[in-house]
Amino acid sequence: MIVTIDGPAGAGKSSIAKIAADRLGFEFLDTGALYRAMTLAAIRAQVDFSDTQEIIRFSSTVDIQWDGQRVLLKGEDVSAQIRTPPVTDAIRFVADLPDSRSRLSEIQRQVSTGRNMVTEGRDQGSEVFSDAECKIFLTASPEERARRRHQQLADMGRPVPLEEILRAQDRRDEEDRSREIGALRPADDASIIESDGMTTDDVLELILKIVRSKIAEQS
Ligand code: C5P
């Protein structure tokens, strides 16, 4: 069974999807990590991001693997390096191109074949796993998402002004929603969770309830 969890940046998808997978005894796939790894590889190879053909050529050759928890580039664990601002700022050059997306979608489908899996991203329910048995769209207002991120960074001893977080988040939302292929949007048959005012545990329990009811329907 495939459970897709899509939603905008900062909605808490990653951590919740990981715990949900654990609780269900499913595997977990972070598709954003694959987009990040391809971008990191392109930066390292000094790909010219203004040259679409060069990005397409490069993305067809890059060796990316997902081992269940970590993303690997030619066998190297790059889980930490993919979370840096230069990678985040350049992702759109890769994520906007249908050819790079189709390569990454293929990897996502290969990884999930025949498995029970929770996949997390932007286009999982709408495009990559349009036949998935259970689809969730997890969102929250921009202010709530920015507030959570602000708190998270402060807890890590890296305070960033709320305004700055909100501005960067608005830019990413716009990029994610406006791309022609793979745009952030709920699938028609997704359960939508608006998580303003909910705790992580509330959201997790709700997701588990939705998944378990789908499992019950299937059996
Ligand atoms: O989930 P995360 O924030 O790590 O994703 C980074 C970026 O990768 C997103 O902002 C989006 O541009 C891109 N992405 C995508 N499709 C996915 C997952 C991520 O386009 N399925």
Side-chain angles (χ1 to χ4, degrees), residues 3 24 60 87 112 128 135 138-139 141 163 172 183 197 207 215:
V3 176
L24 292 161
S60 69
V87 174
S112 326
V128 182
K135 301 178 185 179
L138 176 59
T139 187
S141 66
E163 290 310 305
R172 278 184 75 194
I207 289 178
I215 294 174

Side-chain angles (χ1 to χ4, degrees), residues 74-90:
K74 279 200 240 159
E76 175 195 350
D77 175 9
V78 290
S79 307
Q81 292 91 322
I82 60 170
R83 306 276 161 207
T84 54
V87 174
T88 305
D89 291 345

Side-chain angles (χ1 to χ4, degrees), residues 112-138:
S112 326
T113 304
R115 300 211 161 118
N116 286 323
M117 192 154 248
V118 177
T119 79
E120 176 256 305
R122 304 290 188 286
D123 57 353
Q124 301 294 285
S126 56
E127 296 187 27
V128 182
F129 298 105
S130 52
D131 292 338
E133 294 88 343
C134 182
K135 301 178 185 179
I136 288 160
F137 192 83
L138 176 59

